[in-house]
Amino acid sequence: MLDWLQSHISLNTLIWLFPITFLLHDFEEIIFVETWFKKNYVRLEPKVPGRMKKVFRDLSKTNAARFSIPVLMQFIVYIIASYLAVEQNYYGLFLGVNALFFLHIFSHVGQTLFFGTYALGVGSAIVITLPYSIYLFYRLINETIISYLDLIQNLPYGLISVGIVWYGHKLAAKILPDS
């Protein structure tokens, strides 16, 4: 299987698939965010740890349009990161945001286990993001484009995603206020 993938998907194509895999994952969240919170908020809110209650409450008030704003902002950064990797052979930003995207999978799995119910985004995280991330890192390491150390050293670039998501949700609430 790995040989087939390697012979049919160029490294550049694999890198450019990152923004697409990101969107496929986040489309699940955008499409289902309102329904998921309507169905689960009252039952799950008491289980949310104290320091996360405000975040959970704020997210429960978001709608698909609001959720789309930080997704759009991330998408733009991920296109830039992919461009820099493919066209400039600069992998720092690309590695950082991908490493964080990979680690993000485990937050979905952890939420599912913690809450004892399907967590928003866990399906696409397992079916799309996990295989893509594993194969991406395998290819980059196997083709000696990067090392394991490069993944760790560039992880701080992933914090850009955290800032974008935080700022994007704040911006969304201002430009798309409650009616």
Side-chain angles (χ1 to χ4, degrees):
M1 173 86 163
L2 289 176
D3 290 336
W4 185 90
L5 286 171
Q6 194 158 349
S7 66
H8 287 83
I9 300 175
S10 73
L11 185 58
N12 287 348
T13 298
L14 183 62
I15 290 169
W16 278 115
L17 283 172
F18 169 55
I20 296 166
T21 61
F22 165 74
L23 281 183
L24 290 172
H25 169 66
D26 272 48
F27 283 158
E28 178 188 359
E29 295 174 325
I30 290 167
I31 292 166
F32 295 110
V33 66
E34 295 172 61
T35 304
W36 190 89
F37 273 105
K38 283 178 187 166
K39 178 182 174 188
N40 294 295
Y41 181 80
V42 171
R43 182 171 52 91
L44 299 181
E45 192 274 337
K47 294 182 178 182
V48 176
R51 65 186 188 285
M52 294 302 296
K53 283 193 185 289
K54 182 178 180 341
V55 172
F56 192 76
R57 188 172 36 255
D58 290 348
L59 279 175
S60 76
K61 296 174 188 172
T62 198
N63 58 34
R66 279 188 183 174
F67 200 93
S68 298
I69 290 171
V71 170
L72 172 63
M73 294 168 66
Q74 285 178 283
F75 183 63
I76 291 166
V77 171
Y78 296 168
I79 289 172
I80 293 167
S82 298
Y83 168 81
L84 290 171
V86 170
E87 300 296 333
Q88 305 298 318
N89 290 320
Y90 175 73
Y91 291 90
L93 179 60
F94 181 78
L95 291 176
V97 295
N98 267 280
L100 193 70
F101 192 48
F102 173 72
L103 294 173
H104 175 70
I105 296 165
F106 302 100
S107 71
H108 288 288
V109 172
Q111 290 165 14
T112 296
L113 296 172
F114 180 78
F115 288 130
T117 192
Y118 186 91
L120 187 62
V122 75
S124 57
I126 292 171
V127 173
I128 296 169
T129 307
L130 182 61
Y132 171 78
S133 297
I134 290 170
Y135 183 63
L136 172 70
F137 297 141
Y138 163 79
R139 280 283 297 271
L140 290 171
I141 291 167
N142 189 53
E143 295 181 22
T144 63
I145 306 293
I146 67 161
S147 68
Y148 289 107
L149 184 58
D150 292 324
L151 281 173
I152 295 165
Q153 288 176 331
N154 289 290
L155 186 57
Y157 281 118
L159 297 177
I160 290 170
S161 292
V162 175
I164 290 169
V165 170
W166 178 83
Y167 179 74
H169 281 293
K170 296 288 184 194
L171 180 63
K174 288 184 178 166
I175 63 176
L176 296 172
D178 293 330
S179 350

